């Protein structure tokens, strides 16, 4: 039997990252933050994204991300890196190159993969596909709080505009646009806490008998 994958997709600041890690921890599964790979390319070598994607030396350890041995976790979270990542993510060649890197995360006992096209393109055979949504203003507020909590200066109005532009571009691109897979379950998180969202997804996992004792 193949290694089970849970795909969690959705727009920027829909809460995918936090949700995916908590679901993975509860199940004892690995976790792939696919946006980090696009962000790494944006940081490491946006002049030649395909080559960078092929050659970059990346390691994920204890929730930290290393590029050529250097911890770049905090740098990657910067809003401007996200904007650059969204721009280069339109390139079919780059998406193709990153496919292999993403699929290599599929290791026993299972994987929770989050991004934009996990259920539609990268892991079309995922046993559970979730598409998270949240009202635009709720997402802007969440991202604002995240940045301020980290001591990063932020402007709510500018953030809200950037998120909207980024989502419009991610949804409009020709290759692997941001869109729910036809068999994805939609979950609106606007009025739910993080724990409630994780609870709903773990319930769907139990229905599929995923995760054994820890779920
Ligand atoms: O999830 P994130 O904000 O870290 O992603 C940054 C950008 O990378 C996002 O705006 C679009 C791109 N991306 C993508 O095209 N496909 C994915 N599976 C993940 C991210």
């Amino acid at each position: 039997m193949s290694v089970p994958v849970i795909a969690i997709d959705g727009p920027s600041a829909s809460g995918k990252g936090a949700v995916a890690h908590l679901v993975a921890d509860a199940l004892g599964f690995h976790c792939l933050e696919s946006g980090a790979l696009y962000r790494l390319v944006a940081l490491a070598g946006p002049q030649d994204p395909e080559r960078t994607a092929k050659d970059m030396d990346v390691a994920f350890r204890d929730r930290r991300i290393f590029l050529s041995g250097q911890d770049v976790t905090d740098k990657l979270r910067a809003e401007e890196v996200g904007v650059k990542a969204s721009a280069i993510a339109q390139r079919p060649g780059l998406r193709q190159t990153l496919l292999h890197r993403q699929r290599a995360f599929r290791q026993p006992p299972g994987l929770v993969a989050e991004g934009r096209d996990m259920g539609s393109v990268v892991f079309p055979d995922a046993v559970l596909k979730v598409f998270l949504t949240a009202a635009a203003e709720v997402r802007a507020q969440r991202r604002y709080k995240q940045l301020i909590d980290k001591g990063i200066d932020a402007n709510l109005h500018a953030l809200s505009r950037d998120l909207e532009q980024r989502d419009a571009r991610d949804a409009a691109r020709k290759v692997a646009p941001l869109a729910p897979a036809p068999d994805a379950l939609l979950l609106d998180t606007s009025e739910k806490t993080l724990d409630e969202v994780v609870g709903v997804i773990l319930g769907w996992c139990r229905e599929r008998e995923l995760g054994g004792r820890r779920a």
Side-chain angles (χ1 to χ4, degrees):
M1 231 178 73
S2 67
V3 175
V5 176
I6 297 168
I8 302 181
D9 290 302
S12 312
S14 55
K16 292 168 300 179
V19 169
H21 278 291
L22 288 170
V23 170
D25 287 350
L27 299 172
F29 280 14
H30 302 281
C31 189
L32 165 64
E33 250 179 83
S34 61
L37 290 170
Y38 290 90
R39 286 171 183 260
L40 278 160
V41 174
L43 191 72
Q47 311 78 359
D48 189 349
E50 288 75 21
R51 172 163 220 145
T52 304
K54 219 177 271 157
D55 297 345
M56 65 186 179
D57 166 19
V58 177
F60 293 78
R61 264 195 316 274
D62 302 330
R63 298 246 184 133
R64 307 296 298 178
I65 304 170
F66 299 85
L67 179 64
S68 304
Q70 248 205 328
D71 187 339
V72 292
T73 320
D74 298 331
K75 265 194 198 161
L76 285 184
R77 305 263 175 263
E79 230 16 60
E80 69 262 22
V81 178
V83 172
K84 268 194 211 158
S86 166
I88 56 171
Q90 301 181 72
R91 297 168 68 106
L94 173 62
R95 305 201 69 85
Q96 186 61 34
T97 310
L98 285 180
L99 264 187
H100 306 291
R101 281 205 185 240
Q102 294 174 90
R103 289 184 177 150
F105 281 80
R106 187 175 198 162
Q107 299 286 341
L111 175 69
V112 178
E114 64 95 342
R116 305 290 188 293
D117 60 346
M118 297 297 99
S120 54
V121 175
V122 183
F123 301 108
D125 63 339
V127 276
L128 171 62
K129 299 180 186 179
V130 181
F131 194 86
L132 295 183
T133 59
E137 60 271 29
V138 174
R139 292 189 287 117
Q141 283 284 358
R142 284 182 188 161
R143 181 55 59 87
Y144 178 74
K145 187 170 178 308
Q146 250 175 17
L147 293 170
I148 295 294
D149 286 351
K150 284 195 187 116
I152 302 170
D153 205 18
N155 172 305
L156 186 59
H157 185 70
L159 262 181
S160 180
R161 191 198 52 213
D162 285 354
L163 280 182
E164 258 170 48
Q165 283 176 355
R166 185 131 70 94
D167 291 344
R169 185 161 51 196
D170 291 348
R173 70 175 173 236
K174 290 201 183 67
V175 192
L178 168 69
D183 49 348
L185 302 176
L186 299 190
L187 180 52
D188 187 340
T189 71
S190 304
E191 290 178 13
K192 286 190 168 54
T193 64
L194 185 55
D195 283 349
E196 285 170 342
V197 175
V198 171
V200 172
I201 297 177
L202 288 177
W204 287 338
C205 291
R206 276 192 294 275
E207 285 169 12
R208 287 160 182 75
E209 299 184 357
L210 281 168
R213 277 171 304 148
R214 295 175 73 177

